[in-house]
Amino acid sequence: MNNPYLPSGLLGNLTVSRDTRTARASSFDQTGRNRDNWIVMPGEERVLADIEGPGFITHIWMTQSSRIQPGPGQIDPAVVGVPMLEIHNALGVSWEVHDPDYYRKIVLKMYWDDQDTPSVIAPLGDFFGLMNSLSGSYDSLPLSVSAKEPELNTFGGSAAFNSYFRMPFNSRARIVVENQNDIPYLQYFYIDYELVREPLPEDTVYFHAHWRRALPNQGWGPDLQANSIETTIPNLTGDDNYVVLETEGRGHYVGCNLAVRHFQGSWWGEGDDMIFIDDDTWPPSLHGTGMEDYFGHAWGMQDNAYLFNGTMVHEANVPGFHHSYRFHMADPIRFSKRIKVTFEHGHGNHLSDDWSSTAYWYQTLPSPELTILPVEQRLPLRPIDRVVEAPLPELTDEQTDARARAAERMERFVAARDEMRRQRQEEVDTWEAGNVTQARDIRARFDAGVAE
């Protein structure tokens, strides 16, 4: 039985000494130098952490980079001490550009207690709230994104991610990234965790997250203006709503993020939230009044980010895109058998926009079988700039020679770059195994110790 006189909660827990061991898996350079990142090659999976329980993941920090190199740099890749050259391309020293879609091409997966299927599966950016591969800063209680200011509201822009969701595991935790891109990327990470001695209680519920997309989110009247009199028809079932989460078991839903790529140019958010619990029929246990209301705003969406609700990317800053979040940390939505979290897309589901979301919840194991769309169906609908290419004129001998020398230099650059990537891949093979060995050693030393 819990002692009612012991303090609890986020700050109350700081006043109680506990017999635990705090540890970390990270991308630190295990040679003692400063190349503190892992290269993840195309089609490759990397196990960032493989930890023996019981315990809890307490914090995850990540930052990453994926650069396309259209032309050769002036500096040998093998002698560059940082993961990318932060030198403006106009200076002619380097030629690197962000892969604008790569946050959707990397998949984050988490497995609890030797399950074969992941309890968490989402594109890396979307899990943390950087949706549509479009950078935007925000600060909530469980998640945050800190975007590099010059790259704010750009596709593929640099950013740092944090998660403070507490993630229990009884026998094992594995956190994996899979690079479904056709070029490598670099991953920095911290995975902080806490080991405990006793098995977790039987009533423990486990962290889950799942990404979904509807493209298009098919509506019956996308040519009808939002809030026009013709769209005010009844929706008395919720059958055609966008589904954020549908699962069976016992647990509680703790929130979601939502990205909308709106096509009509009017207002995307007039639909209601409808959350069906256990044996609900319509109307469900929770029926809301509009998307801005569900996300804790009103009279449209404001460009604010708070502890439990807010906006990462506002449509006023990036026309056609709006990204928001709502976390039920203080008001979890509990279910005993099943839950279905749905949103109308436009009143009565009349709009046909691009909707995607990540749902977060805790539930009993075994986890539902969670899947993700293939990479080509995850890519964001970026605005495309038109480019006019003219055929080459008749070249002089000097021009012909200059182009040939550039092609030769690119060939040498690519060979040196690919050799460096091969060497780094071998190095990270060793570091990946080193993280597992270190985690097992920490577990063994903790188990061998005696509680004070």
Side-chain angles (χ1 to χ4, degrees), residues 125-146:
D126 292 74
F127 174 83
F128 289 96
L130 193 152
M131 297 175 283
N132 277 316
S133 203
L134 180 59
S135 69
S137 292
Y138 78 105
D139 185 20
S140 73
L141 186 65
L143 294 172
S144 69
V145 173
S146 178

Side-chain angles (χ1 to χ4, degrees), residues 52-67:
E52 294 180 5
F56 303 86
I57 306 295
T58 57
H59 170 238
I60 300 172
W61 166 86
M62 289 183 170
T63 192
Q64 46 282 313
S65 178
S66 182
R67 299 292 183 104

Side-chain angles (χ1 to χ4, degrees), residues 266-329:
S266 56
W267 164 234
W268 62 269
E270 201 57 36
D272 296 346
D273 56 296
M274 302 182 195
I275 302 177
F276 297 81
I277 297 173
D278 295 340
D279 298 324
D280 271 351
T281 56
W282 197 94
S285 294
L286 293 93
H287 193 305
T289 58
M291 292 313 302
E292 73 270 48
D293 309 334
Y294 174 76
F295 288 107
H297 289 216
W299 310 113
M301 299 294 297
Q302 288 78 54
D303 193 6
N304 298 319
Y306 302 121
L307 289 180
F308 301 128
N309 70 292
T311 295
M312 307 90 152
V313 171
H314 196 279
E315 57 196 345
N317 300 322
V318 187
F321 289 85
H322 194 95
H323 303 168
S324 288
Y325 62 94
R326 169 69 161 95
F327 293 119
H328 298 269
M329 312 301 288

Side-chain angles (χ1 to χ4, degrees), residues 9 51 133 136 226 233 288 398 411 414:
I51 307 164
S133 203
I233 66 169
E398 290 84 356
E411 185 176 354
V414 168

Side-chain angles (χ1 to χ4, degrees), residues 5 22 26 40 44 77 88 93 121 133 154 206 234 240 247 259 290-291 296 299 322 367 373 397 426:
Y5 299 103
T22 302
S26 81
V40 186
E44 188 173 56
H88 199 286
V93 176
I121 186 166
S133 203
T154 65
Y206 291 77
D240 297 324
T247 188
M291 292 313 302
W299 310 113
H322 194 95
S367 297
L373 291 171
D397 291 342
E426 292 180 355

Side-chain angles (χ1 to χ4, degrees), residues 136-166:
S137 292
Y138 78 105
D139 185 20
S140 73
L141 186 65
L143 294 172
S144 69
V145 173
S146 178
K148 187 176 179 181
E149 287 290 342
E151 298 169 13
L152 193 65
N153 293 329
T154 65
F155 291 92
S158 302
F161 301 155
N162 285 280
S163 165
Y164 298 95
F165 278 114
R166 193 167 179 86

Side-chain angles (χ1 to χ4, degrees), residues 329-408:
M329 312 301 288
D331 56 339
I333 298 176
R334 304 187 188 278
F335 55 97
S336 298
K337 300 177 183 177
R338 64 185 64 87
I339 189 171
K340 186 175 182 180
V341 180
T342 75
F343 300 151
E344 286 184 308
H345 40 101
H347 177 75
N349 297 312
H350 81 287
L351 291 177
S352 298
D353 290 330
D354 172 15
W355 282 43
S356 58
S357 60
T358 307
Y360 309 93
W361 76 100
Y362 289 82
Q363 74 163 80
T364 50
L365 297 183
S367 297
E369 291 192 13
L370 304 177
T371 59
I372 194 168
L373 291 171
V375 64
E376 62 272 10
Q377 295 180 37
R378 299 198 306 265
L379 300 183
L381 297 179
R382 292 185 287 113
I384 304 299
D385 293 329
R386 296 182 62 192
V387 176
V388 177
E389 294 185 357
L392 295 176
E394 185 176 348
L395 303 179
T396 66
D397 291 342
E398 290 84 356
Q399 291 167 338
T400 300
D401 180 62
R403 292 182 61 85
R405 285 187 285 110
E408 291 170 4

